[in-house]
Amino acid sequence: MLPKIRLAVVFHRLGPYHIARLLALAETYEVVAIELSKTTSEYLWDEVATPEAITRVTLFEAQDSREVSPAYLQKRLFEALDCYQLTAVLINGWYEKGALLANLWCLQRGIPAFVMSATTAIDFQRQWWKELVKKRIVATFSGAIVGGKPHADYIKRLGMTRKPIAAGYDVVDNAHFEQGAAEAKAQSQFYRKQYGLPAHYFLASSRFIKKKNLFRLLQAYAEYRKQALHPFDLVLLGDGELSQQIIEAVHILGLQQAVHLPGFKQYDELPIYYGLAEAFVHASTSEQWGLVINEAMASGLPVIVSKNCGCTEDLVRHGRNGYVFDPYDVSELTDCMLALHEGNQDHTMGLHSIEIIQAYSPDTFRQAVGKLVSSAKGTPDIRLKDKLIGQLVIRLLVRQ
């Protein structure tokens, strides 16, 4: 019997949605999950349990790896990776120092490295010199697993045209949300009372930061309430640096009785909020993918999604399972909310969401990784020139 292929997967921090992907991988491969930091300031997740099928290695238990010296981070990461006879390494992104150093380890050891990328051309205003640096880094990978079409297009623009690119990175545990939402609907009266939820509401879930565009969402919602007959309420899940300003905006717009702010909710509670909602709204001005859209669709919701979200092209069919809008156009968002309010009484849009999201499951991720691993054939297909220049660029970047 051939030995099982062993993969390392490097994330900054393991969150709830990573576990489903890793478990799917573990059906075929031996999986070592390298977690750089146990806690971070961006997300307030509870620590996720590690299933027995996954070997989990946490480098820093009590501090953020981004706050330690590059030399110490390299020492700890290289020591962890050296403990395992690895077939390949999957690396989340190419920007942060932990990702760069994991790639450097692969280059020095002759191990294929595959980048996991949810980056598109329109995420930020691109600067030519940074794009040249990225091209040097991208040239050192043996392939990529990306979110969808815009992400594949961008990594090809960075020079990955002769190496395998597979879609399926941005997936969630569809069953967790579909089953949890169904249970919430079956006991809707109980859960609405327990969680203080209105009879009908739009749901939004995000960090309360600028790019999530929550102030325009509130403005659009206020106008929607003026025009709609029996308008839905709005539930905003989340927390963040703009929390107080959002509360003030709700009061200024006179929406205190219609907008609900339950705060940040943990993974296990999310299906209840999805399951009892009428539709999901995501208004970001910039979003690499938007996993909350996957969650909402798996829960059977129609979705109203900004055209600047990376998932929009792949997941949203305008007029079929939801609507797409310009995040800078408040009136356009209002129109989408009104259209959904008036046109989805038979819930067919939510059924279409479930149908579409079936193609984006943890097994999709496993199959995508399988294509990359099969293509590697044990040795990275990296030109010597790209390897040498890539190592030099990485060393310079991690010292910044």
Side-chain angles (χ1 to χ4, degrees):
M1 177 182 289
L2 293 174
K4 204 169 187 180
I5 295 171
R6 181 180 291 125
L7 305 177
V9 188
V10 181
F11 287 110
H12 183 71
R13 180 191 175 188
L14 285 180
Y17 51 85
H18 295 134
I19 297 300
R21 301 179 203 177
L22 296 174
L23 273 175
L25 278 188
E27 294 177 13
T28 305
Y29 310 104
E30 290 184 10
V31 177
V32 181
I34 307 290
E35 177 185 48
L36 303 182
S37 306
K38 195 170 186 177
T39 61
T40 58
S41 59
E42 296 101 321
Y43 299 100
L44 302 176
W45 300 319
D46 289 339
E47 182 182 354
V48 295
T50 310
E52 290 185 5
I54 300 166
T55 300
R56 180 177 184 172
V57 178
T58 302
L59 299 189
F60 297 95
E61 296 276 345
Q63 63 185 135
D64 193 323
S65 64
R66 293 168 294 194
E67 298 173 354
V68 304
S69 71
Y72 188 46
L73 176 59
Q74 177 174 331
K75 177 178 182 295
R76 294 289 302 274
L77 179 57
F78 279 31
E79 287 174 350
L81 290 166
D82 280 334
C83 286
Y84 302 93
Q85 188 173 350
L86 297 171
T87 306
V89 180
L90 303 170
I91 301 171
N92 183 30
W94 55 64
Y95 172 71
E96 292 193 345
K97 292 178 181 179
L100 290 168
L101 288 169
N103 191 9
L104 181 63
W105 181 90
C106 291
L107 290 169
Q108 291 182 355
R109 305 299 192 271
I111 303 296
F114 300 110
V115 63
M116 302 182 293
S117 176
T119 301
T120 75
I122 66 168
D123 292 336
F124 311 99
Q125 185 174 356
R126 302 297 180 182
Q127 296 177 294
W128 66 268
W129 63 271
K130 287 186 177 181
E131 298 301 281
L132 289 178
V133 172
K134 287 180 197 173
K135 287 181 179 181
R136 287 301 183 183
I137 297 172
V138 167
T140 64
F141 289 107
S142 295
I145 176 170
V146 298
K149 186 178 184 303
H151 313 86
D153 291 343
Y154 182 56
I155 206 163
K156 288 176 184 176
R157 195 173 96 176
L158 292 175
M160 191 176 285
T161 56
R162 298 178 181 271
K163 297 173 186 176
I165 300 171
Y169 176 45
D170 290 292
V171 299
V172 302
D173 185 352
N174 291 344
H176 171 76
F177 291 96
E178 184 175 358
Q179 294 167 10
E183 179 183 343
K185 291 172 185 175
Q187 303 181 60
S188 62
Q189 188 174 0
F190 168 77
Y191 282 115
R192 286 189 199 279
K193 183 177 180 181
Q194 183 177 10
Y195 284 83
L197 291 170
H200 303 282
Y201 61 91
F202 288 109
L203 177 67
S205 178
S206 70
R207 288 182 291 157
F208 288 4
I209 57 177
K210 184 178 179 180
K211 75 171 188 175
K212 301 301 182 178
N213 205 26
L214 296 175
F215 298 108
R216 288 192 183 91
L217 171 57
L218 288 172
Q219 292 168 10
Y221 174 71
E223 186 58 34
Y224 152 83
R225 285 194 67 85
K226 295 176 184 177
Q227 300 184 43
L229 183 64
H230 306 302
F232 302 155
D233 282 16
L234 174 63
V235 175
L236 288 181
L237 290 183
D239 202 351
E241 61 192 46
L242 298 179
S243 293
Q244 186 57 43
Q245 291 96 314
I246 288 169
I247 292 172
E248 292 170 0
V250 169
H251 282 262
I252 291 170
L253 292 168
L255 298 173
Q256 301 94 311
Q257 302 305 313
V259 174
H260 308 261
L261 298 166
F264 176 84
K265 296 299 175 183
Q266 295 294 339
Y267 184 72
D268 289 341
E269 289 185 292
L270 290 176
I272 295 169
Y273 288 89
Y274 287 117
L276 300 180
E278 301 294 330
F280 188 80
V281 186
H282 202 61
S284 291
T285 55
S286 174
E287 194 79 65
Q288 289 187 324
W289 178 266
L291 287 174
V292 288
I293 308 304
N294 299 57
E295 296 172 355
M297 290 174 61
S299 302
L301 291 180
V303 292
I304 302 173
V305 186
S306 160
K307 70 177 185 180
N308 288 3
C309 290
C311 71
T312 302
E313 184 173 350
D314 290 276
L315 296 188
V316 187
R317 312 288 188 267
H318 189 81
R320 184 165 181 242
N321 74 311
Y323 298 98
V324 179
F325 66 96
D326 181 341
Y328 296 100
D329 190 331
V330 172
S331 63
E332 191 173 332
L333 175 51
T334 297
D335 290 343
C336 289
M337 299 174 86
L338 287 166
L340 193 143
H341 180 103
E342 297 165 1
N344 191 45
Q345 300 305 314
D346 58 358
H347 301 289
T348 54
M349 280 189 167
L351 296 176
H352 288 312
S353 281
I354 293 176
E355 177 187 350
I356 293 166
I357 206 63
Q358 298 311 306
Y360 298 82
S361 70
D363 194 58
T364 309
F365 176 72
R366 181 186 63 81
Q367 292 179 36
V369 171
K371 293 177 183 178
L372 301 183
V373 173
S374 298
S375 72
K377 299 178 182 179
T379 56
D381 182 22
I382 310 297
R383 296 186 306 173
L384 179 60
K385 176 183 176 182
D386 290 333
K387 182 177 179 179
L388 295 175
I389 294 177
Q391 290 186 71
L392 175 61
V393 170
I394 289 171
R395 290 183 184 279
L396 291 172
L397 288 174
V398 296
R399 291 175 183 172
Q400 298 299 313

